[in-house]
Amino acid sequence: MGATEPETRVLDATKSCCERFGMAKVTIDDICEESGVSRATIYRLFPGGRDVLFEALRVRELNEFFDVLTAGADGHDDVDDLIVSLVVVATRELRADDHLALMLASEPGDVLSQLTVAGFPRIIRVATDYLMPLLAPHLDPEFAEQLIELLVRTVISYFLAPSDHVDLGDPDSARAFLRPGLALLTPQPSERTLT
């Protein structure tokens, strides 16, 4: 079930307030003023207040990211092309995310935690939910799950610590970087089980 109009307004306002003030300084009153929604409504929609609200915003942002990622990977029948496309689109989306850039600048500790230790299990879970249907026709499900985790770790690592030699946002560079791994990780064409 999608978000209601008041939930969307509150989450949009929360995002805007975080960009303006930084997460640590945002108050429920700031969000009320920005959204035009009362405190009582916010607490009814997000029982638990700020922490629940910030968590709902993280979940929404993550789902929106993977919606874009899967749409960008549409139309690839070859598993190698699909994997390269997923890595390139994910990298480009992370780089183009102005909200993420602002949060990294104002709240680096919290954002790094959400991209690594604290948020990583959720990222892997959501990535698996979104990407398994794309990879399942090409790969063994257990193998596909491991590959998804490897790809997520690779993209996040190169996003947080860019390389002078590898640009995962460039298809040619990403393919050259991934080629040795793809040769080892993906079954040879005769071994693939397409459904």
Side-chain angles (χ1 to χ4, degrees), residues 86-140:
L86 290 170
V87 168
V88 168
V89 173
T91 299
R92 288 178 177 175
E93 285 303 307
L94 286 172
R95 290 177 181 168
D97 189 329
D98 293 335
H99 176 72
L100 180 58
L102 284 167
M103 292 297 93
L104 272 169
S106 67
E107 306 282 340
D110 184 60
V111 174
L112 290 173
S113 174
Q114 289 306 315
L115 285 174
T116 56
V117 180
F120 201 75
R122 174 186 29 245
I123 294 170
I124 293 294
R125 189 171 52 253
V126 173
T128 301
D129 289 346
Y130 273 86
L131 301 182
M132 279 300 285
L134 296 174
L135 293 172
H138 306 283
L139 302 171
D140 170 76

Side-chain angles (χ1 to χ4, degrees), residues 30-143:
D30 294 328
I31 297 166
C32 290
E33 185 176 325
E34 180 77 20
S35 67
V37 173
S38 71
R39 286 178 69 87
T41 299
I42 289 177
Y43 281 104
R44 181 178 51 75
L45 294 171
F46 302 96
R50 283 183 72 228
D51 292 342
V52 172
L53 190 50
F54 288 154
E55 179 64 14
L57 181 60
R58 285 184 195 106
V59 168
R60 183 182 83 167
E61 296 286 307
L62 192 57
N63 286 325
E64 287 175 355
F65 174 86
F66 280 102
D67 285 340
V68 170
L69 179 59
T70 54
D74 229 8
H76 293 283
D77 293 330
D78 179 78
V79 70
D80 292 357
D81 290 344
L82 173 61
I83 291 168
V84 170
S85 176
L86 290 170
V87 168
V88 168
V89 173
T91 299
R92 288 178 177 175
E93 285 303 307
L94 286 172
R95 290 177 181 168
D97 189 329
D98 293 335
H99 176 72
L100 180 58
L102 284 167
M103 292 297 93
L104 272 169
S106 67
E107 306 282 340
D110 184 60
V111 174
L112 290 173
S113 174
Q114 289 306 315
L115 285 174
T116 56
V117 180
F120 201 75
R122 174 186 29 245
I123 294 170
I124 293 294
R125 189 171 52 253
V126 173
T128 301
D129 289 346
Y130 273 86
L131 301 182
M132 279 300 285
L134 296 174
L135 293 172
H138 306 283
L139 302 171
D140 170 76
E142 185 177 332
F143 179 82

Side-chain angles (χ1 to χ4, degrees), residues 175-192:
R175 185 175 298 283
F177 174 74
L178 295 169
R179 184 174 291 126
L182 290 173
L184 294 171
L185 293 173
T186 58
Q188 297 306 307
S190 62
E191 298 171 359
R192 291 185 185 145

